[in-house]
């Protein structure tokens, strides 16, 4: 069975500094990995995904994520944080080796960017 | 070019009443999902529909919860005899079979059981 871990409940960073939100995963086959963001009182919004190809994936709003197969990680990064990036971030995984499409989500990491 | 829509956006009900929540997926998306999110918490998977296949109901927390989907369109999530612990935001998502199958989420229905 697949699983996702987001080890940090909250990440604090000052505006202008780089940010990293951590995610590790476990699947039996090839992983399909996703990051979503949730702003207050809103639904989840897709940020980026890794299916195959380059390990560094670029997504919306200047975010990127690096797939590391040996460490089974898919950390979300941004070179320079904005206050408006403050939100709840979810990592998700599915097993790409099956036709089954259910995603398994992590518990979420709250990002707080201070001015 | 509408996204996933859900109605109502807010629902307040009394304990013991039944409620119906509606989800309209993106046109052409064969897969539809329901999740529950308690205040500030992660996502709890409830049920998944894929085309005409039998739905995956493995996440439904009790037999008071049920869901239906008409073909590849609208879905309704029904909660019977609501309890206070059912209070949460109920999120619907849909996806297509192409690409990585990323899910597109609706804005959610906030359910409050008094």
């Amino acid at each position: 069975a697949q699983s996702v871990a987001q080890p940090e409940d909250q990440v604090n960073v000052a505006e202008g500094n780089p940010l990293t939100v951590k995610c590790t995963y476990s699947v039996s086959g090839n992983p399909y990995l996703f990051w979503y963001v949730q702003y207050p009182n809103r639904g989840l919004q897709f940020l980026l995904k890794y299916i195959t190809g380059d390990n560094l994936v670029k997504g919306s709003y200047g975010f990127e994520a690096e797939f590391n197969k040996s460490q089974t990680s898919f950390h979300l990064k941004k070179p320079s944080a904005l206050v408006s990036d403050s939100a709840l971030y979810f990592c998700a995984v599915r097993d790409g080796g099956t036709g089954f499409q259910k995603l398994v989500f992590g518990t979420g990491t709250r990002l707080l960017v201070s001015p | 070019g509408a996204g996933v829509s859900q109605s109502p956006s807010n629902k307040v009900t009394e304990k013991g009443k039944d409620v119906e929540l509606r989800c309209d997926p993106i046109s052409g998306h064969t897969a539809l999902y329901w999740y529950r999110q308690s205040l500030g918490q992660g996502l709890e998977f409830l049920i998944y529909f894929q085309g005409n296949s039998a739905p995956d109901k493995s996440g439904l927390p009790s037999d008071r919860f049920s869901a239906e989907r008409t073909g590849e369109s609208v879905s309704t999530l029904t909660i019977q005899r609501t309890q206070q612990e059912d209070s949460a935001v109920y999120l619907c998502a849909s996806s297509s079979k192409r690409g990585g199958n990323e899910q597109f989420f609706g804005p959610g229905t906030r359910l409050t059981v008094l």
Side-chain angles (χ1 to χ4, degrees):
Chain A
Q2 54 247 38
S3 66
V4 170
Q6 292 183 245
E8 303 153 316
D9 289 337
Q10 183 165 308
V11 170
N12 297 304
V13 65
E15 188 173 34
N17 284 358
L19 70 87
T20 299
V21 182
K22 296 179 180 177
C23 171
T24 58
Y25 66 89
S26 174
V27 294
S28 54
N30 293 323
Y32 286 11
L33 293 153
F34 305 81
W35 276 102
Y36 287 83
V37 59
Q38 186 177 34
Y39 297 102
N41 300 314
R42 303 283 295 277
L44 272 71
Q45 189 172 338
F46 169 73
L47 269 182
L48 51 80
K49 66 180 178 183
Y50 171 83
I51 305 299
T52 186
D54 289 341
N55 290 342
L56 185 64
V57 178
K58 293 188 183 296
S60 307
Y61 311 122
F63 283 93
E64 57 190 29
E66 186 168 11
F67 171 64
N68 188 315
K69 188 173 183 178
S70 63
Q71 296 185 2
T72 61
S73 67
F74 190 57
H75 300 332
L76 181 70
K77 301 181 180 184
K78 188 173 182 180
S80 178
L82 299 173
V83 173
S84 57
D85 292 330
S86 299
L88 189 56
Y89 290 81
F90 290 96
C91 181
V93 67
R94 67 166 279 234
D95 187 339
T98 71
F100 197 60
Q101 299 177 31
K102 188 172 76 174
L103 291 184
V104 174
F105 284 84
T107 52
T109 298
R110 189 167 301 281
L111 174 66
L112 287 177
V113 182
S114 56
Chain B
V4 177
S5 61
Q6 292 185 245
S7 61
S9 55
N10 280 284
K11 176 72 177 177
V12 180
T13 190
E14 294 179 348
K15 178 181 172 181
K17 301 281 189 184
D18 298 351
V19 296
E20 258 191 19
L21 312 180
R22 178 187 168 106
C23 172
D24 279 276
I26 293 172
S27 177
H29 280 191
T30 58
L32 187 147
Y33 316 75
W34 283 99
Y35 297 89
R36 179 167 71 174
Q37 185 178 29
S38 299
L39 185 62
Q41 301 301 309
L43 293 172
E44 176 187 4
F45 166 76
L46 296 178
I47 188 169
Y48 157 63
F49 296 90
Q50 171 57 57
N52 295 319
S53 301
D56 175 358
K57 303 179 182 181
S58 61
L60 295 178
S62 79
D63 59 8
R64 297 187 294 105
F65 288 72
S66 63
E68 292 184 350
R69 187 181 186 193
T70 307
E72 294 185 350
S73 61
V74 171
S75 175
T76 55
L77 176 69
T78 301
I79 308 173
Q80 295 178 310
R81 305 180 303 282
T82 52
Q83 303 295 313
Q84 288 184 332
E85 60 262 29
D86 299 335
S87 296
V89 176
Y90 289 81
L91 292 166
C92 176
S94 69
S95 69
S96 72
K97 274 194 170 183
R98 289 187 293 278
N101 315 124
E102 60 265 31
Q103 297 179 18
F104 294 86
F105 282 79
T109 294
R110 183 176 298 278
L111 175 66
T112 303
V113 182
L114 301 177

